[in-house]
Structure formats: C-alpha cells, structure tokens
C-alpha cells in the first residue's frame, strides 16, 4: 500500500441521547472496552497515523479516555452539532498541516476490521480522491444512499431526507467511514453548505464537490455487521453479540475447544492457546491469557489472570486480577484468587480465598483455607513455600510465611512464620472421655421418660 502519511479523524461529538445515560455514548463498552477504545485500536491497527478525535462540549471524560489510549492524539472540540462536515472541520488544524490521506471513523461504530480500512485506502491508491465504505442494508431506512454509475463510480451520496423515491429504493448505503486524498480536501470541506432537509453540513456532499473538480469517488463494500452503529442500548447489545460471535469463531479457529460457544463470553483482549478447553458458561473479563492445554471448567469467571499450560480451573472458580498460575496448577470449585502467584503443580481444589501472596510449586492448599490479607486498613502478604501442605479450614493471618515442605494442621489460625519442614498446629489439644456419649444418652432418655 501507499506510503502516504495518514491522518485518522474520529468523530465522537454526538450526544447519544438515545442511550439515556450519564456516560457519553462512546464510553459505553463492548467486550470490556469502550467503543471509543475499539475505534482508536482500529486506527492503530490500520497503520501508523496521526490521530484527531472530535468531541463535544462537556466531554472531558472522552478527552481523558482518548489521551489515555492514544497520548499523542489531538483532541478537538466541535462547539455545536451542525453535521458531519462541521465535525470534521473541527479538526481543521490537523487537516491543514497534512497532505497525505485522511480517514474519517465514527466512535460509535466499533466493529470495523482493520483489513477493511486497508481496503479503503487501497481504493485511494487506485486513483480515487474519495473512497466511501458502503454496505447492502437489509433495511436502508435512515442511511445515506450511495448513487453509483454503471461503471461503478460513486456519483453522490443522498441523505434519506433529501432523497427521491427512486433513490430511496437503493439499498447500498453509506456506513459513514470515508477515506480521502489530502490534496484540496480542506478547501472542499469548507465549500460544503447546509441547504438541505436537515440544515446540516453533510460530509457526504464532498463526493459531488470532488466530482465537480474532476475527481473520482468509489464505494468499497463491507458486511452490514461490521458497520453497525450504536445509538441505543439494544444496538449496544447487538454489537456485543456480533463481537462475541467473532471472538468465539476466532478462538475455535485458533485451536480452542468451546463446548457451548454461545455461553462463553470473551473480552476484547482474551488470549487462548492451542488445545484449551472451555466448558459452558465461562466469562472472561479483560486481561486474561490461557496457555496451551489448559482447561476452564463450567461457570468460572476470570479477569486479569494468567493461566499456565495444562492448568485446570473450576468448575465455579474465580480468578481476579493478578492471579498468575504456573504449569498444571489446579484451582477447584468456589476458590477465589486475587494477586496470587501459584507455582507449577500447586493445588487449591475447594472453597478457598487466596489473595496477595504466593504458593510455591507443588504445594497443596486444603479446603476452606483463607488468606487473611486485610486488617481493615492495609493489605498484607502470605507466602507458602514449595511443597507445603496447608490443612483444611486454616486461616493464615498475613503477613506470614510458611516454609517449604511445612505442614499446617487443619483448623489452625496461623499468625507467626512457620519454618521449613515443621508442623504448625494452633488448636486446643483433643480431650477424649471414654464412654461419655453412651452415659449421656441414657441419662437424657431417663429424663425424657420421667417428664412424660
Ligand atoms: C451519517 C451519514 C449517513 C450515513 C450514516 C451512517 C452524513 C450527512 N450522513 O448520518 O450518510 O448513512 O451516518 O450511520 O454524514 N457527529 C458529530 N458531530 C455532528 C454530527 C455528527 O460528531 O455535528 C458524529 C456523531 O457522533 C456520529 C457520526 O458523526 O458518530 C454520525 O452522525 P449522525 O448524526 O449519527 O449521522 P447520520 O444522520 O446517522
Ligand atoms: Ca447515526
């Protein structure tokens, strides 16, 4: 592809009234990442470019989210919403200093793939001054229609409200995504007027203006799914569903087994190795890596966790941020891990909370073990050495260290460090009274008989 420089302009100034939300529309999430985040990632994946993001008044959180994801982005303010051309012109300064290609993306259209943007730019290589991403709409209502010549040239884009009945019958629609050659672009944008049904400055008018200047425009097609725009919560859910569908297919194509794909929920960044098996009803929050051959059993919830090769997680396990599990670790039902290092082959098979600590290779954590990591003010560390055995129902009160190979007797409350290979017990000595129970029963039965 060309080595012309690229400026990507992301439009995010829309109020998103139909979301009925205190949060700006573009900060609502799909697969654990804001729609804005998806679009900024798309801009990055489509090739190195300068970024300009257009926001509306009062959108400080959108500005902050932009600069967090893309610190070098320029953020521009569109004072009043006067249409898509006016929005692009808010970034006038960025366009003026740039003579390469310009791409316009909408921040509320999060599912476009980077290949599609690359194809759009390739259309510019082919000599077009404007390339518009179009799609065949099942229901074209509300979209701008792409008017093409028999030879495939894009002649004009007609907004629904300005279209004739004949033009409305066209099903090829404008997705809103467009690419431009930079030469003369700013000047043409400034010539766009607002004498139309909405009284807005339509970016789509650029096609006819370019044509009047003797320049060619083309339409590049993609699937309708890819250009789904989110205006309300039902469309947010639809975008999520499409994203998940893709993520499940990709996971399986890369060699993971999903027993019931429709019940597994991925984050935008989930990484699965080969021969990973995911049972039904598993949820991945952001930041999870599962290495080759690991098995995630039913009803588990993972977030910010690294699962080593061959590990077995769940059913009903919860891995929270900072859980780092080595090879062949076993985490069983109702076990919660947070900020925990688990060495190779370590096990915690039932009913435990392990947080802010480490468990060495091959150590065994018994059922009901609690790492008491929080004193109400501070968090403290618990370290269990390799090969140690922590008996069931033990409380390890942090900060505390259990040496390698040590044994902790069941039911102990451990508040002091335990040396390697020692046995630590913290419980009253067992007191056994022979025959007591039998005598007790006789006495009580007599008492009951007397009472009638
Ligand atoms: C626009 C297109 C239409 C296309 C449709 C696809 C125009 C004139 N029309 O119509 O051809 O089929 O998108 O969804 O371009 N925005 C601003 N500032 C504004 C106006 C819009 O930032 O002043 C942003 C919005 O936040 C949104 C995007 O631009 O992300 C599109 O705006 P919207 O009002 O939804 O355009 P449509 O009328 O749907
Ligand atoms: Ca729209």
């Amino acid at each position: 592809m060309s080595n012309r420089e690229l400026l990507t302009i992301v439009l995010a100034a829309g109020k998103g009234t139909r979301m009925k939300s205190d949060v700006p529309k573009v900060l609502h999430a799909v697969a654990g990442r804001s729609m804005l985040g998806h679009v900024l990632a798309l801009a990055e994946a489509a090739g190195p470019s300068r970024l300009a993001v257009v926001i509306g008044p009062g959108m400080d959180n959108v500005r902050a989210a932009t600069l967090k994801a893309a610190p070098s982005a320029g953020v521009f303010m569109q004072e009043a919403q006067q249409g898509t051309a006016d929005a692009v012109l808010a970034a006038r300064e960025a366009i003026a200093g740039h003579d390469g290609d310009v791409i316009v993306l909408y921040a509320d259209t999060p599912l476009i793939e980077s290949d599609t943007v690359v194809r759009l730019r390739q259309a510019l290589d082919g000599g077009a001054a404007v390339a518009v991403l179009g799609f065949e709409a099942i229901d074209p209502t509300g979209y701008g229609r792409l008017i093409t010549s028999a030879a495939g040239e894009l002649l004009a884009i007609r907004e629904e409200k300005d279209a004739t009945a004949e033009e409305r019958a066209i099903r090829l629609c404008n997705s809103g995504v467009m690419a431009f050659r930079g030469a003369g672009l700013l000047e043409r944008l400034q010539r766009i007027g607002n004498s139309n049904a909405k009284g807005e400055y339509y970016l789509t008018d650029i096609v006819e203006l370019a044509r009047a200047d003797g320049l060619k425009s083309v339409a590049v097609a993609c699937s309708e799914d890819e250009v789904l725009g989110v205006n309300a919560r039902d469309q947010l859910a639809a975008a999520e569903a499409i994203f998940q569908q893709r993520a499940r297919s990709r996971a399986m194509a890369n060699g993971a087994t999903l027993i019931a794909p429709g019940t597994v929920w991925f984050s935008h960044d989930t990484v699965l190795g080969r021969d990973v098996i995911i049972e039904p009803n598993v949820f991945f929050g952001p930041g999870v890596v599962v290495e080759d051959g690991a098995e995630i059993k039913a009803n588990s919830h993972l977030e910010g966790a690294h699962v080593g090769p061959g590990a077995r997680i769940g059913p009903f396990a919860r891995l929270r941020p900072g859980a780092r599990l080595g090879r062949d670790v076993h985490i069983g039902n109702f076990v919660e891990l947070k900020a925990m290092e688990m060495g190779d082959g370590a096990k915690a098979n039932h009913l435990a909370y392990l947080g802010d600590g480490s468990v060495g290779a091959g150590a065994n954590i018994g059922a009901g073990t609690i790492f008491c990591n929080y004193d109400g003010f501070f968090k403290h560390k618990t370290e269990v050495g390799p090969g140690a055995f922590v008996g069931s129902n033990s409380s390890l009160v942090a900060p505390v260290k259990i040496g390698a190979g040590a044994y902790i007797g069941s039911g102990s409350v451990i508040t002091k460090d335990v040396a390697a290979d020692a046995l630590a017990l913290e419980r009253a000595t067992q007191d056994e009274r022979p025959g007591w129970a039998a005598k007790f029963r006789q006495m009580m039965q007599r008492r009951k008989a007397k009472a009638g």
Side-chain angles (χ1 to χ4, degrees):
M1 207 183 29
S2 86
N3 50 13
R4 294 183 300 276
E5 278 189 55
L6 179 61
L7 165 66
T8 304
I9 302 177
V10 176
L11 303 189
K15 287 200 191 75
T17 328
R18 278 189 281 158
M19 294 296 281
K20 304 228 168 74
S21 174
D22 294 337
V23 177
K25 175 166 77 175
V26 301
L27 295 186
H28 285 263
V30 170
R33 173 158 71 181
S34 73
M35 292 194 274
L36 175 71
H38 281 277
V39 175
L40 295 177
L42 166 68
E44 198 185 299
S49 77
R50 291 167 55 215
L51 254 182
V53 177
V54 178
I55 64 170
M59 292 189 175
D60 292 338
N61 39 9
V62 178
R63 178 193 301 274
T66 298
L67 294 176
K68 195 170 169 211
S72 65
V75 180
F76 298 88
M77 173 80 79
Q78 185 193 21
E79 293 295 344
Q81 298 248 293
Q82 301 183 72
T84 44
D86 181 66
V88 170
L89 277 171
R92 176 183 284 110
E93 238 172 76
I95 304 168
H98 175 83
D99 60 2
D101 295 349
V102 175
I103 287 184
V104 172
L105 302 172
Y106 292 174
D108 62 2
T109 305
L111 299 173
I112 295 170
E113 313 235 32
S114 56
D115 280 359
T116 303
V117 175
V118 169
R119 280 196 296 129
L120 205 59
R121 266 193 104 189
Q122 281 165 345
L124 300 182
D125 295 343
V130 181
V132 174
L133 186 62
F135 64 102
E136 290 282 341
I138 293 173
D139 173 10
T141 311
Y143 291 113
R145 309 297 206 279
L146 301 188
I147 299 170
T148 50
S149 73
E153 189 178 339
L154 177 62
L155 305 175
I157 305 177
R158 195 77 68 232
E159 290 307 295
E160 166 135 324
K161 285 197 171 153
D162 303 290
T164 63
E166 197 185 328
E167 287 167 342
R168 283 186 196 187
I170 297 172
R171 282 181 46 212
L172 184 62
C173 291
N174 174 24
S175 69
V177 174
M178 297 189 197
F180 309 93
R181 292 292 291 263
L185 175 65
L186 184 58
E187 181 273 328
R188 269 193 293 285
L189 285 169
Q190 283 165 335
R191 268 198 277 144
I192 291 177
N194 66 347
S195 46
N196 53 51
K198 280 190 173 170
E200 282 188 2
Y201 297 87
Y202 290 167
L203 181 58
T204 46
D205 284 355
I206 198 109
V207 171
E208 281 168 292
L209 289 177
R211 190 167 145 80
D213 290 345
L215 299 170
K216 199 176 127 187
S217 298
V218 293
V220 171
C222 74
S223 80
E224 184 164 10
D225 271 2
E226 230 183 301
V227 291
L228 173 73
V230 173
N231 299 307
R233 307 254 183 180
D234 56 345
Q235 289 159 332
L236 185 68
E240 181 78 44
I242 294 167
F243 187 97
Q244 292 300 334
Q245 203 77 43
R246 285 186 192 168
R248 291 162 189 152
S249 300
R250 204 179 321 119
M252 291 186 281
N254 289 339
T257 294
L258 310 189
I259 292 173
T263 69
V264 176
W265 294 83
F266 290 107
S267 172
H268 65 96
D269 59 354
T270 309
V271 178
L272 303 182
R274 283 164 70 97
D275 294 317
V276 163
I277 298 176
I278 315 274
E279 288 189 353
N281 299 317
V282 171
F283 185 93
F284 292 95
V288 177
V289 175
V290 180
E291 292 199 57
D292 294 354
E295 211 171 315
I296 314 291
K297 292 175 176 292
N299 300 303
S300 294
H301 189 287
L302 296 83
E303 183 182 359
H306 188 111
V307 176
R312 285 215 319 255
I313 310 301
F316 295 99
R318 178 161 185 216
L319 303 186
R320 291 173 52 203
R324 301 191 59 81
L325 282 47
R327 180 180 291 277
D328 298 325
V329 164
H330 291 185
I331 301 296
N333 42 252
F334 308 106
V335 173
E336 173 182 348
L337 261 61
K338 188 226 30 173
M340 276 296 304
E341 201 83 40
M342 299 285 291
D344 293 349
K347 291 180 186 154
N349 274 328
H350 336 263
L351 303 160
Y353 171 66
L354 312 180
D356 296 313
S358 60
V359 170
N364 192 311
I365 305 292
T369 297
I370 306 290
F371 284 13
C372 307
N373 61 327
Y374 186 48
D375 56 19
F377 297 91
F378 300 103
K379 302 273 173 70
H380 302 281
K381 278 197 170 320
T382 302
E383 289 171 44
V384 174
F389 184 97
V390 176
S392 295
N393 198 29
S394 297
S395 301
L396 307 185
V397 182
V400 71
K401 290 182 190 172
I402 311 299
Y407 258 66
I408 305 299
S410 296
S412 298
V413 177
I414 299 296
T415 53
K416 288 182 275 203
D417 290 356
V418 175
D421 292 323
L423 166 69
L425 272 177
E426 189 282 337
R427 60 191 184 207
T429 312
Q430 190 163 318
D431 172 19
E432 184 165 326
R433 304 173 191 191
W436 183 94
K439 276 187 231 153
F440 176 74
R441 266 194 303 275
Q442 276 172 13
M443 178 183 83
M444 294 311 269
Q445 275 156 3
R446 271 200 305 273
R447 228 183 253 181
K448 206 168 176 185
K450 221 188 256 173

